[in-house]
Amino acid sequence: MSQATGEEESQPKVAKVTFNPALWLQRRTWVLNQLREHRATSVVDLGCGEGSLLSVLCQPASTIPPKPNSTTATNENKEPTLDIHISHLVGLDIDDESLKIAAEETAPIPEERLYDLALWERPRPRWLDLDVQIWQGGLEVLNGDDDGEKRWFGSRTGDWDAIVSTEVVEHVPNSILPHFIPTTLGVYQPKLLLLTTPNYTFNQLFTAPGVLNTLTGYPDPTGDTDRVFRHHDHKREWTTEEWTEWCEQAGKEWGYDVQVGGIGVSEEDDPWGRTKLAGKASLTAIFKRRELPSNPEERVALEKKREQALLAARQRTTPSTAHKLVAAHHHSTNPSFGTKPTKSTILDGLKAMLEPNGDLGLRCGTADIDELWLQDSIAILCGGDLNLLLDAVETAPPDEWELLKDDLSASFIPNWREKKWAWQVRWKGFVKPPTPEPSSESEKGYDEEEEDCWRSSLDVWRGWADDSWKDEFGRDGEAEIQSSPPTTPSPEEDKGGEAVSDGWGAAPANDWGLVESWNNSGWVTEEPSWT
């Protein structure tokens, strides 16, 4: 055996580790689900990078927000919902180039540019004013506190619904990390703090047992450990046990309940049977603020600790370290918000939509609530209040209108959608226009095979749900949706991960394995670039 061959065999082999969906997308989904569940309306993204999460949260909700006294506005309500009604949004990072992109991604589209966009590219009507601020500065210093008013990012202590920091804490220098939790939980005191970070325990799947991945990994740059990390800028990567201990200690110290979990399982089984031991690729933590202790001594101790954290943060905040405002945007509510049209006006609008020459004329008088609401004219007519549409149809004369509440809705509507979106409106007064006579013999065959009406998208779901038909691969509706090719990815998605940046958490890391990803030419196999 030659020396070269021996050296090649001694090199650690990079195992194939892939994620479906992509790991960054799983993290994004987890964050959005948490914000939905906790009905967050104000969010701060610490380590926002190029604003990939911020741009998603800038998208308008499909309906008006629930009333404060409504059961749907409380965390006790278990009815799932797609909408996240954000009114205040803040991004903070240290990298100026990334923040320029974040400012662009969160800006409203100028009215003069709307006409250059296709109809499906234009933003939906907005039913809640949104204010966005993009800041540059460090995690360890305060944002605000003018004249000692204790206002952070424009809101008072404890008023922010959620602070999010995904794949950030592993980038924070050792000199800054001790200030992260005291500042976020001790000073800002959000109702909810969401964190994610790479799981070092998972890294063992990238190579054979006992082999450090020095081929594509990065030795700990701090020299504190002999570990090999996923990215050159990582200052640490916690094991599952270390992460749990760090988070639980922080929660106990600052008055928060903590739930630790994980995201991301490899598509491939580990040849050495370590899959279960390795856990998830990314670690997660949910911090929920508790009420102040009922015990007077404990209450005083916590309040004193918070005040000490504030004083220390004030000392770190100087004119040279203070946060700088990069951009501020305002997204305005649609002028129709709050209008109360009569039921007859709403029904007339539906007729115009469902009549043979209307936008949904090929539905033969029956259309899903979902697709009706996607017609901006209907949503604007109802002032963003879906209940007005449902009530108008449900109380209309039964010989003219019917609201179909499909019993199968639970089986074919994704678990994040409310079942009412699967309901259908039937206009019984619809009259199908006569079919024109074919002008030639060659057209007869085509006309005879043409269906009378198009089936709606949810009719297709119903077909899958009741097993009345399957696609050529024999897969049911859910499997087909999961395995469908994605749409053309955004520039960020084309990179395979979070936006590239020199900031805290936006720089992608190597996950050490070949992955399949989608580009404009189709599915390709490439080296991964996300953490």
Side-chain angles (χ1 to χ4, degrees):
M1 180 183 298
S2 66
Q3 182 179 357
T5 303
E7 290 177 353
E8 291 175 359
E9 290 185 352
S10 67
Q11 291 292 325
K13 299 295 184 180
V14 178
K16 182 178 182 181
V17 177
T18 62
F19 303 96
N20 184 25
L23 189 53
W24 71 266
L25 184 56
Q26 293 187 49
R27 288 194 299 265
R28 175 77 51 75
T29 302
W30 176 80
V31 169
L32 296 177
N33 285 340
Q34 293 300 321
L35 296 179
R36 287 189 188 100
E37 179 181 342
H38 293 89
R39 304 295 194 262
T41 61
S42 55
V43 179
V44 177
D45 185 3
L46 298 181
C48 65
E50 296 179 355
S52 57
L53 174 62
L54 297 176
S55 64
V56 173
L57 294 176
C58 280
Q59 302 306 309
S62 58
T63 63
I64 62 173
K67 297 178 182 178
N69 60 351
S70 170
T71 56
T72 59
T74 69
N75 292 345
E76 301 301 321
N77 175 51
K78 300 302 181 183
E79 180 76 3
T81 177
L82 169 65
D83 286 332
I84 304 176
H85 298 276
I86 303 294
S87 60
H88 293 84
L89 191 59
V90 168
L92 174 70
D93 208 290
I94 56 175
D95 183 61
D96 55 350
E97 292 300 320
S98 296
L99 290 174
K100 290 178 183 178
I101 298 175
E104 295 174 357
E105 291 294 317
T106 55
I109 300 176
E111 187 173 354
E112 58 270 17
R113 281 188 52 203
L114 291 177
Y115 300 101
D116 297 330
L117 302 175
L119 289 177
W120 57 86
E121 293 177 315
R122 298 177 187 177
R124 297 295 314 281
R126 183 176 296 277
W127 308 116
L128 183 67
D129 279 354
L130 171 64
D131 289 304
V132 183
Q133 292 184 345
I134 306 297
W135 292 85
Q136 182 180 21
L139 296 166
E140 74 283 7
V141 299
L142 298 178
N143 182 291
D145 196 29
D146 295 335
D147 300 323
E149 290 187 359
K150 297 183 180 180
R151 298 181 67 88
W152 322 116
F153 302 103
S155 293
R156 293 189 180 278
T157 298
D159 282 355
W160 283 98
D161 288 336
I163 290 181
V164 179
S165 192
T166 59
E167 307 300 284
V168 170
V169 290
E170 65 272 12
H171 294 272
V172 177
N174 289 339
S175 60
I176 303 298
L177 185 65
H179 306 310
F180 177 75
I181 289 295
T183 303
T184 54
L185 300 186
V187 178
Y188 298 152
Q189 301 172 31
K191 299 170 186 175
L192 186 73
L193 172 65
L194 303 177
L195 302 179
T196 74
T197 194
N199 180 10
Y200 182 76
T201 310
F202 187 87
N203 293 0
Q204 62 186 294
L205 298 185
F206 298 134
T207 59
V211 178
L212 291 177
N213 190 356
T214 56
L215 186 63
T216 57
Y218 302 88
D220 182 352
T222 67
D224 293 339
T225 70
D226 59 357
R227 295 176 179 177
V228 176
F229 296 158
R230 302 186 198 179
H231 189 269
H232 67 84
D233 189 53
H234 285 184
K235 309 302 188 296
R236 68 197 57 81
E237 288 185 9
W238 280 280
T239 65
T240 305
E241 294 74 19
E242 292 166 347
W243 176 250
T244 301
E245 180 181 1
W246 187 77
C247 293
E248 289 181 349
Q249 177 60 34
K252 179 180 179 181
E253 190 173 357
W254 297 101
Y256 281 76
D257 292 322
V258 180
Q259 180 182 344
V260 174
I263 298 170
V265 176
S266 173
E267 289 276 279
E268 296 77 23
D269 289 330
D270 180 56
W272 294 277
R274 300 168 297 172
T275 301
K276 185 175 181 180
L277 178 64
K280 304 294 180 65
S282 285
L283 297 167
T284 64
I286 305 171
F287 293 78
K288 297 180 183 179
R289 191 181 68 205
R290 294 194 296 261
E291 296 293 332
L292 284 172
S294 56
N295 183 295
E297 293 182 359
E298 294 178 358
R299 183 188 187 108
V300 170
L302 178 58
E303 290 177 338
K304 182 178 180 180
K305 190 174 185 63
R306 289 173 172 175
E307 192 65 28
Q308 290 172 344
L310 174 58
L311 293 175
R314 282 173 172 167
Q315 291 176 356
R316 294 191 298 270
T317 306
T318 65
S320 62
T321 62
H323 293 171
K324 298 177 178 60
L325 183 63
V326 175
H329 307 305
H330 180 75
H331 299 254
S332 298
T333 302
N334 189 278
S336 69
F337 173 75
T339 59
K340 301 293 182 182
T342 63
K343 294 180 181 180
S344 61
T345 300
I346 294 175
L347 296 177
D348 288 342
L350 292 176
K351 287 180 183 179
M353 188 68 60
L354 294 171
E355 65 182 2
N357 294 327
D359 290 344
L360 296 178
L362 290 175
R363 295 291 187 257
C364 293
T366 301
D368 303 318
I369 293 295
D370 196 300
E371 60 183 341
L372 279 169
W373 200 254
L374 283 175
Q375 310 299 316
D376 286 352
S377 58
I378 295 296
I380 291 174
L381 177 64
C382 297
D385 192 343
L386 179 62
N387 290 323
L388 292 181
L389 171 62
L390 299 177
D391 184 58
V393 176
E394 199 160 24
T395 59
D399 58 336
E400 297 181 18
W401 295 91
E402 184 179 6
L403 185 63
L404 304 174
K405 301 179 180 181
D406 199 323
D407 293 336
L408 291 174
S409 59
S411 62
F412 65 84
I413 289 297
N415 58 11
W416 42 258
R417 291 308 305 259
E418 296 170 276
K419 296 175 184 177
K420 62 188 176 186
W421 293 105
W423 297 349
Q424 289 186 318
V425 170
R426 176 175 294 170
W427 175 32
K428 297 181 180 180
F430 176 84
V431 178
K432 180 185 174 184
T435 303
E437 292 294 329
S439 58
S440 65
E441 290 294 327
S442 61
E443 295 181 6
K444 289 184 178 180
Y446 176 81
D447 287 338
E448 290 172 355
E449 295 176 358
E450 190 73 17
E451 291 188 14
D452 290 340
C453 301
W454 284 0
R455 290 196 300 175
S456 71
S457 58
L458 287 176
D459 282 332
V460 176
W461 279 96
R462 292 183 177 87
W464 277 316
D466 61 12
D467 278 337
S468 61
W469 62 285
K470 306 256 183 173
D471 70 1
E472 64 269 29
F473 300 103
R475 295 177 296 209
D476 62 20
E478 182 179 358
E480 172 66 13
I481 293 300
Q482 292 174 346
S483 57
S484 298
T487 56
T488 303
S490 67
E492 172 208 332
E493 295 168 350
D494 237 350
K495 298 171 188 173
E498 301 290 353
V500 178
S501 163
D502 292 327
W504 295 305
N510 192 338
D511 256 356
W512 306 334
L514 296 177
V515 299
E516 289 185 341
S517 63
W518 179 265
N519 64 18
N520 293 331
S521 303
W523 289 103
V524 296
T525 300
E526 60 184 5
E527 292 290 343
S529 58
W530 55 78
T531 54

